[in-house]
Amino acid sequence: MTRIITAKIQPDIFKLIESGVKRFEVRSEDFNNASIIRYRSSETGETLGYYEINEYQSEIHAGSADLLALIASVSADVIDDCGLLDVPNSVYVTEIGYRIDDLEAWMEGQKQ
């Protein structure tokens, strides 16, 4: 079964994903065996796009904004604004894969 998770994202950060600059997703919660992430605008709620995500995730200590910023390809201020340093133990990281332009066709292909 395909599991889709949703992440709110600022449109300017989503552009980093589209351009391939931002290649890793960092979250305070695990990815729950998801294979797709749906990005929604934090401003409008509009779906910005669907991406495959690597089923393998890493759990890392969230002690350094600079380290998380480097992994996530965003500024340390963004990491701080997202509250990732307030996570008591660890954060979860996975690689962002290919964009899925036709979700229905992608899911149908997974059934074969």
Side-chain angles (χ1 to χ4, degrees):
M1 181 169 100
T2 300
R3 180 178 290 258
I4 301 172
I5 59 170
T6 299
K8 289 189 292 184
I9 192 167
Q10 298 169 7
D12 57 327
I13 295 174
F14 181 73
K15 288 179 184 177
L16 296 175
I17 294 170
E18 287 184 306
S19 68
V21 171
K22 179 173 170 37
R23 296 180 38 236
F24 293 92
E25 182 65 28
V26 179
R27 296 173 52 95
S28 59
E29 299 175 10
D30 72 26
F31 292 88
N32 292 318
N33 298 316
S35 52
I36 298 173
I37 188 165
R38 173 178 57 180
Y39 289 104
R40 296 186 76 177
S41 169
S42 60
E43 297 172 357
T44 66
E46 166 192 13
T47 296
L48 300 173
Y50 294 88
Y51 281 79
E52 292 180 342
I53 56 174
N54 190 329
E55 291 179 21
Y56 175 77
Q57 65 181 15
S58 297
E59 188 175 351
I60 62 172
H61 180 62
S64 167
D66 291 331
L67 174 61
L68 294 179
L70 180 66
I71 293 168
S73 300
V74 297
S75 72
D77 289 339
V78 170
I79 296 296
D80 192 38
D81 290 345
C82 291
L84 289 172
L85 295 179
D86 299 332
V87 175
N89 297 314
S90 301
V91 295
Y92 301 88
V93 179
T94 194
E95 187 173 11
I96 301 168
Y98 294 105
R99 181 181 178 100
I100 300 170
D101 291 318
D102 185 338
L103 183 61
E104 189 174 312
W106 187 94
M107 292 178 79
E108 195 61 38
Q110 295 301 304
K111 293 178 185 177
Q112 298 176 3

